[in-house]
Amino acid sequence: MNTTLQARAAYTAESGAINTPRATEYRAFARITHRLKSAVANGRDMPALAAAIHDNRRLWTILAADVAQPANPLPVALRAQLVSLAEFTRIHSGKVLREGASPDPLIEVNIAVMRGLAGTGGTT
């Protein structure tokens, strides 16, 4: 499955799933985070890691654009934090691809966001 289809699938309704915007965002983060973890677990499979990082950047870009909208209902402080995380993701992704930095911080940020989306705070 190519990355465009994977990205589209991340936002496609699953049968039997509750399709709230929050649940859709959670599933998108979960899928990409799983791909990042799998690429690392497979001996840093660079083609898979690069594709997952690309999709992760796209997800964060979409999220940052959404929270930058004046009509976004999230609190301003949270919106600013999400934009900062999007910028961190962009910068660190480049370091992973160019310098061989660890992708673990990207995974950790995604997991933290997933915890927030799930409302669990401490666990996913």
Side-chain angles (χ1 to χ4, degrees):
M1 177 181 279
N2 71 34
T3 55
T4 303
L5 291 175
Q6 289 172 333
R8 187 176 301 140
Y11 286 97
T12 303
E14 294 177 347
S15 63
I18 298 172
N19 292 309
T20 64
R22 187 175 216 149
T24 300
E25 289 170 352
Y26 182 93
R27 283 193 308 275
F29 273 100
R31 285 187 179 124
I32 290 173
T33 303
H34 173 75
R35 289 177 50 217
L36 288 167
K37 287 180 175 181
S38 293
V40 171
N42 290 331
R44 284 190 71 153
D45 175 358
M46 277 312 289
L49 181 59
I53 285 175
H54 173 74
D55 288 346
N56 193 51
R57 278 184 181 172
R58 287 177 48 195
L59 177 61
W60 275 101
T61 299
I62 291 167
L63 181 68
D66 183 54
V67 299
Q69 296 299 314
N72 188 289
L74 292 175
V76 173
L78 178 57
R79 292 166 52 189
Q81 289 172 334
L82 289 168
V83 169
S84 292
L85 287 173
E87 182 64 7
F88 168 81
T89 298
R90 185 187 67 76
I91 291 168
H92 192 73
S93 294
K95 290 178 181 179
V96 172
L97 295 173
R98 283 188 313 276
E99 303 165 15
S102 172
D104 290 346
L106 300 173
I107 294 167
E108 291 169 13
V109 166
N110 284 8
I111 289 171
V113 170
M114 289 166 56
R115 286 181 181 137
L117 289 167
T120 59
T123 61
T124 50

